[in-house]
Amino acid sequence: MKGRVLICAGSDSGGGAGIQADIKAVTALGGFAMTAVTALTAQNTLGVQAVLGVEEGFIRRQLASCLDDLGADAAKTGMLADSATIAAVCAEIAARAPGVPLVADPVMVAKGGHRLLAPDAVETLKRLLLPLATVITPNIPEAEVLSGMAIPDEAAMLEAAEAMLTLGVPAVLLKGGHMPGEGLVDILATPEGVVRFEDARIPTRHTHGTGCTLASAIATGLAQGLALAEAVARARRYVRAAILAAPGYGAGHGPLDHGVTVDAARF
């Protein structure tokens, strides 16, 4: 076991996304997962039925308990829900984990369409979270909100990624899964240039939790000493294998097989 990853995100009672997916991904890639739960959700493959937020002071207490004793080699944020939660998480990370690589997944809407970030919290996320992050991992709808522009094609993805770099984050992984077509392109943009990742799209409805899983897999790579591009490449291979091995559970967007491997060397 190598690499301590502290995850700050919401819980998914259905087990496919959120904290549950995060823990599974970190473990499958040989890391050690710790958590600070920001919200409880009642959800399954059909959608989110209810959300119960965790009080900000208790979120900070969870983070402090982990960092003061166990420490962290990387951190990952997911669902942060509102401005107060974002402010609490950012304050604790800045105070107790300066310099620790942070993968920020700017979760805004669940796969089934339920909003997971208050509209008025977007500016708080830009102002407080992005400058702390090592990399952000928005999908196209999230990137449209953060960049303030429509993203209809790959050229627009490049333009939007460049726009997001001006928000204070040193790297942007813009995921192209929402773009129509048989191919799927992700773009990793930094001030030094762009790395393009491309795969054939897998025709499946079993993609619940792919964003959470990818971000946590990247964080695990960073915690284990991989360079960012290498961590992204390994995380993408892991997520693709987990999709291909999906067990087919549920009547909606089904979960991945996070346990597709326990041998990180394969990826």
Side-chain angles (χ1 to χ4, degrees):
M1 181 177 287
K2 179 182 179 182
R4 300 162 296 174
V5 182
L6 177 55
I7 302 149
C8 189
S11 170
D12 172 5
S13 61
I19 287 285
Q20 286 81 351
D22 298 323
I23 295 171
K24 293 172 189 177
V26 172
T27 303
L29 290 173
F32 176 72
M34 301 163 285
T35 63
V37 180
T38 61
L40 305 177
T41 69
Q43 68 174 293
N44 52 31
T45 68
L46 298 174
V48 178
Q49 290 80 47
V51 177
L52 178 64
V54 176
E55 190 268 328
E56 294 84 20
F58 191 72
I59 295 172
R60 295 188 66 157
R61 187 67 177 268
Q62 293 175 79
L63 290 167
S65 292
C66 293
L67 291 169
D68 288 351
D69 176 38
L70 295 155
D73 300 302
K76 179 257 181 176
T77 60
M79 177 186 174
L80 298 181
D82 54 33
S83 291
T85 299
I86 295 169
V89 169
C90 289
E92 207 65 35
I93 289 176
R96 298 180 187 272
V100 171
L102 170 61
V103 179
D105 186 15
V107 175
M108 296 182 183
V109 179
K111 185 81 70 178
H114 189 98
R115 179 171 287 279
L116 298 177
L117 180 70
D120 61 1
V122 173
E123 291 304 315
T124 306
L125 186 146
K126 289 182 181 180
R127 179 170 53 87
L128 297 181
L129 182 63
L130 267 56
L132 288 180
T134 302
V135 60
I136 59 172
T137 61
N139 58 31
I140 286 178
E142 292 160 350
E144 288 180 331
V145 173
L146 293 174
S147 67
M149 60 176 285
I151 307 177
D153 52 33
E154 188 175 339
M157 288 179 68
L158 288 167
E159 186 178 350
E162 294 293 334
M164 286 183 282
L165 287 176
T166 68
L167 299 175
V169 63
V172 176
L173 178 65
L174 177 45
K175 302 173 294 188
H178 286 75
M179 196 79 69
E182 296 184 1
L184 187 151
V185 174
D186 296 338
I187 290 172
L188 176 63
T190 70
E192 288 72 44
V194 172
V195 180
R196 184 178 183 273
F197 300 92
E198 183 174 8
D199 285 296
R201 188 181 300 274
I202 301 171
T204 179
R205 63 181 173 85
H206 299 292
T207 57
H208 183 50
T210 48
C212 305
T213 301
L214 181 69
S216 286
I218 294 169
T220 306
L222 295 178
Q224 294 168 339
L226 298 183
L228 178 58
E230 187 180 0
V232 170
R234 187 184 75 166
R236 293 181 80 259
R237 292 194 296 271
Y238 167 66
V239 171
R240 186 171 182 83
I243 293 172
L244 288 169
Y249 298 153
H253 298 289
L256 318 182
D257 178 2
H258 291 91
V260 66
T261 179
V262 293
D263 179 7
R266 287 184 54 195
F267 296 90

